[in-house]
Amino acid sequence: MKVPDEDVQEQAREFASNVRPTWSESLNPIEKALQYAADSEQFKRGLLRFVDVLPALSSPARITQAFREYFDDEAVQGWGQTVRNAIQYSPSSVSGRLLRQGVKRTARRFLAGFDRPSLLNELQSIADRGDRFSVDRVGEAVLSEGASDRYVDEYDALLDDLSGFDADTASISLKPTALCARFHPRAPQTTIERMYPRACRIIEQAVEQHLIVYFDMETDRTRGITFELVKRLLQDFSDYERFGVVIQAYHRSCTRDTNELIDWLEQHNRRLFVRLVKGAYWDEERARALRNNWPVPVYERKGKTDQMFERLAGQLVQAHPHVRPAFASHNLRSLAYGVTCAKQADLPDRDWEIQMLYGMGNRIQRAVRESGFHPRLYVPYGELLPGMGYLVRRLLENTANQSFLQDDIDRQTYDKPDPESGHVERPEPNGYQTVGPADFSRTKTRSRQQQAYDDRRDRRVECPVLVGDERRTGETDTSINPSRGSEVVGTVHQATEIDVRDALRKSPERWGEVDERAGMLRGIGNALEADRKELTALISYENGKNWPEADADVMEAIDFCYYYADQIERIGGERNRDVPGETNRHVYCPRGPTAVIAPWNFPLAILTGMTSAALAAGNPALVKPSGETSVIAYEFIKRARRFVPDDALHYLPGPGSTVGSALVEAPEINVVAFTGSRAVGQSIRRTVRDKNETMMTETVLEMGGKNAIIVGPSADIDEAVEGIVESAFGYQGQKCSACSRVIVHESRADELAERLRGATQALIMGPADDPDADMGPVIARSEQQRLRDAKQYAREEGEVILDQTTPGELPDGHYVGPMIVDKLAPDSQTMQTELFGPILGLTRVESIEEALSVANNVQYALTGGLYSRMPSVIEQAKEQMEVGNLYVNRDITGAVVGRQPFGGFKQSGRGTKAGGPDYLKNFLYPKTLTENITRKGYPGEA
Ligand code: NAD
């Protein structure tokens, strides 16, 4: 539907004519701070971070310290400087209290109450003005079933409180992600099953009261499930006509979503409230997509979003009576457009409305009222601390450069939106870009992946030994699926010491020129990419990784190929330092035959990383995979051999004690690239030291870890819980980078322990190929037994806060439930030994200094993490924490090639850093070539 633009402009001007600031607003320090933040990016950064951390700070002194740290001298001028000086020169007990009050007042502007009684007062005044409202409960991130139940309980109580309001005045808004603890876009049906009973509980009561129930639209990853849930509710509550959903105009698929929704409503003859918004998660959506190398799901030009808002407004109005549209915006032009459409289509007043956010753009809200409309306000409430996320988002909106709230209303033209306007620069790609993880929230990606699982399910692979161009057979070993002990994944012929000798005999000293090798590596990367889904499925079957972990393994393998291809081109060429009469070249030469000895826990990624580095360097590679994952290795070698000469890449599966040792001891082997346990790594070092050799054997040894995450007093506990659970129990804790120790400040320890327990309990255990599974099996029966013993030790050493049993309905695999043990002594066995399984220990400390000393008091130095929002603490950890990879305020696993070069020191490794700019040099030796080109005094040309 299109409406004449003059009518829209006239309506917008009418709104504008009613906009009047009040005195109190122009003098309000909060308004001034927001205004200032809109002009100064640095101030805004400081403000948002300060507001974010504030509720977690217990004392006025800490608050003042945080303020000083966030607003250093350069960051603030003008108004900010005045405030800063005031803080600087008053006692911290006073300034701390003032700052807390200031932020509380800001929060009160956007949150209608910190509890239900204060909310109800506010709702009453909204109703008394003749406005309507939709209440949204903001709270802690829902990470446990208990938190999800509390969310529903809160709505139960809220609905009771709302019973006194008229049904057209009151409504509620629900966050779909709060309806269950594990929200899995990769498993929409089971996720909906989990959400459904809670959704029904709320709806049954809302039905009695005849209230509208809106399902908020959160981020792109929750979109599909939200629509599906609402459709199911529409079918099951077939008489209820008061459900609502949200369409976000900034989303690139907003037109498709709207078309599909309208078609569905028409087909099923149902009615739905549809709130049309522009979208509130723009920064988050864009940053996540750019990080993952995904297409950005939202429009990057603001003008395009504005244009889509108008188009959709017309479309929704036309879909009446199936759709009852709500135009939710503070932009006068956008609102005017919606209003004009509704009027021209003669929509009954009760079938459409304007919606606005509580506390935002108050002048505009008043103008809308003055113009004769009663908006429905979206009213959030909740405690200050968990409500901070909401507050920060609102502040971000209020201070965005392109914010409508900052617009000078008198100067607005109310012209048609220009889709080309409001362009945002993309950051320049910096170095190698990852291929990115698969986005399983996309239906197509998901169904193709499922197809790959189905196709591979019953395939058994026979893996011969590959020595040059020969396929050799011999004794066999059977590789089984750890999720289902009776399923065979493949039969692996075992190499012998004779095969090792023959492979060495056939191997050239070096192979290929730099360009050729780089090209071949890219070919291998392409081949892996082409078969990505199949390889992902195989990893789940042979190695027990769930969907996202298995996919990440393949992603990393592909990244290694492309990254090392780039790197060899960078360092493989000659370096030229010529002077008159003399040439000086510095070149890197292949070291020669390389033994690649790989672990099972990243069966494709690590094996590919070490092999592709050797190949990139021009070294022939003799690959010995782990016994547990030899089929995956075979599939890689088979594909790589399409590009690499047979004699340069051999496949030698077999036991470490025979095949591994034979490789390490062989005089012809010039490089041993090993990733695995500390014990084996150290034995390799000793063997190499004593062996009979021509060239000094280079070793690349990546070994174990005992990785800690420190949680400081200023940590965001929502984020810490999520990050720790991911780091400790992702792939059942069997990552070298996994978190196995949490070192928490006393003041947050009880809260953290309790929330970790709830969040861990919610993890879903199942066979790795089940898309819903968070945790699959451990790799082998022997590991299951070893971990049971380790649990026994842990029980004796600390206070068990969770020891989850495995669910009865699991198939016959090797499952181990997660365990969390609190109050462990830092030098206890559980806190010192690498357990390599889902066992997490907690220890409590009283200061950051103590935390760092406990963290460093282990033999390893691989990964580590810190959750803190104090810049000085973050700096201290960066300087003092003994780890190869430090992650601040995020989980500590999942290093991305090129972005986070990976590897540790102390007993974790030699600091060779896989996926980093120096890694290939371990496979090369440098040579300097100097030539005097002077002839009879003539210096010649270099
Ligand atoms: P592992 O040491 O048992 O085995 C690794 C490889 O070495 C296997 O292929 C094995 O067959 C071989 N091997 C065993 N004995 C050998 C010998 N005497 N000579 C030569 N080769 C021999 O390790 P794993 O159980 O496969 O892997 C888990 C370990 O790997 C953990 O300690 C983990 O922390 C570590 N790891 C470290 C990193 C890292 O980057 N630092 C990455 C992944 C795994």
Side-chain angles (χ1 to χ4, degrees), residues 597-601 606 624 674-677 703-704 736 834 836 902:
I597 302 178
W600 50 263
N601 70 333
I606 290 182
K624 193 212 90 61
F674 165 84
T675 306
S677 63
M703 303 181 294
C736 47
E834 184 184 41
F836 223 58
F902 185 78

Side-chain angles (χ1 to χ4, degrees), residues 356-401:
M356 301 179 103
L357 290 168
Y358 177 86
M360 291 267 283
N362 289 339
R363 288 178 296 163
I364 299 171
Q365 287 189 16
R366 284 195 300 275
V368 166
R369 259 175 237 122
E370 293 274 312
S371 310
F373 300 95
H374 283 287
R376 184 183 297 280
L377 299 186
Y378 182 89
V379 181
Y381 81 102
E383 296 106 63
L384 182 60
L385 194 141
M388 265 312 140
Y390 179 84
L391 178 60
V392 168
R393 239 192 356 268
R394 292 287 87 91
L395 289 179
L396 207 63
E397 263 175 9
N398 269 268
T399 53
N401 279 335

Side-chain angles (χ1 to χ4, degrees), residues 597-602 606 624-628 654-657 659-662 664 674-681 683-684 701-705 734-737 834 836 860 862 902-904 908-909:
I597 302 178
W600 50 263
N601 70 333
F602 281 87
I606 290 182
K624 193 212 90 61
S626 167
E628 280 79 8
S657 52
V659 180
S661 295
V664 176
F674 165 84
T675 306
S677 63
R678 181 182 162 219
V680 175
S683 85
I684 290 178
L701 304 172
E702 304 283 356
M703 303 181 294
Q734 302 174 111
K735 297 184 195 175
C736 47
S737 52
E834 184 184 41
F836 223 58
Y860 299 101
L862 191 50
F902 185 78
S908 292

Side-chain angles (χ1 to χ4, degrees), residues 363-658:
R363 288 178 296 163
I364 299 171
Q365 287 189 16
R366 284 195 300 275
V368 166
R369 259 175 237 122
E370 293 274 312
S371 310
F373 300 95
H374 283 287
R376 184 183 297 280
L377 299 186
Y378 182 89
V379 181
Y381 81 102
E383 296 106 63
L384 182 60
L385 194 141
M388 265 312 140
Y390 179 84
L391 178 60
V392 168
R393 239 192 356 268
R394 292 287 87 91
L395 289 179
L396 207 63
E397 263 175 9
N398 269 268
T399 53
N401 279 335
Q402 298 181 6
S403 171
F404 46 85
L405 297 169
Q406 305 305 326
D407 283 353
D408 180 346
I409 284 162
D410 298 333
R411 277 190 287 140
Q412 280 194 8
T413 59
Y414 310 119
D415 283 345
K416 258 194 190 143
D418 170 9
E420 295 302 314
S421 70
H423 175 67
V424 185
E425 292 293 333
R426 283 260 181 120
E428 276 293 306
N430 183 5
Y432 174 75
Q433 297 298 296
T434 171
V435 292
D439 180 0
F440 291 126
S441 70
R442 305 263 169 257
T443 316
K444 233 190 228 162
T445 312
R446 220 166 39 235
S447 58
R448 286 192 186 140
Q449 186 60 67
Q450 186 57 60
Q451 190 60 50
Y453 277 100
D454 295 345
D455 292 347
R456 263 224 89 111
R457 187 173 301 277
D458 298 319
R459 281 243 311 267
R460 289 182 186 190
V461 185
E462 171 131 3
C463 312
V465 176
L466 299 174
V467 175
D469 56 359
E470 291 175 64
R471 295 161 63 87
R472 297 186 176 179
T473 54
E475 274 186 31
T476 57
D477 192 17
T478 309
S479 182
I480 62 130
N481 177 351
S483 300
R484 297 185 178 82
S486 53
E487 270 180 29
V488 174
V489 178
T491 308
V492 182
H493 293 266
Q494 302 288 289
T496 61
E497 287 160 37
I498 297 171
D499 296 323
V500 171
R501 272 208 301 282
D502 290 349
L504 280 166
R505 200 170 31 76
K506 287 182 178 226
S507 295
E509 271 305 301
R510 57 196 292 169
W511 74 280
E513 293 306 314
V514 167
D515 294 352
E516 194 184 346
R517 298 193 310 252
M520 286 182 181
L521 276 186
R522 293 198 177 99
I524 301 174
N526 286 337
L528 298 181
E529 238 183 315
D531 294 341
R532 180 167 178 165
K533 301 208 159 36
E534 184 192 341
L535 293 165
T536 298
L538 176 60
I539 290 175
S540 294
Y541 289 139
E542 193 182 27
N543 179 247
K545 281 193 175 173
N546 72 357
W547 279 40
E549 299 285 358
D551 170 73
D553 206 317
V554 188
M555 166 188 113
E556 195 178 342
I558 299 166
D559 280 339
F560 275 130
C561 295
Y562 293 151
Y563 179 75
Y564 291 144
D566 290 356
Q567 289 301 311
I568 196 63
E569 282 174 341
R570 191 177 65 82
I571 62 170
E574 286 184 324
R575 210 107 357 131
N576 193 340
R577 293 287 180 278
D578 298 341
V579 288
E582 183 180 274
T583 60
N584 289 294
R585 306 282 154 93
H586 180 71
V587 294
Y588 286 98
C589 311
R591 271 188 171 268
T594 297
V596 172
I597 302 178
W600 50 263
N601 70 333
F602 281 87
L604 187 63
I606 290 182
L607 182 124
T608 302
M610 294 192 291
T611 309
S612 59
L615 295 172
N619 302 340
L622 293 86
V623 181
K624 193 212 90 61
S626 167
E628 280 79 8
T629 52
S630 298
V631 176
I632 297 162
Y634 176 72
E635 294 286 348
F636 165 72
I637 301 282
K638 217 171 67 179
R639 284 166 179 78
R641 281 172 147 236
R642 290 186 208 145
F643 304 90
V644 178
D646 289 349
D647 286 347
L649 181 58
H650 312 272
Y651 171 66
L652 303 163
S657 52
T658 55

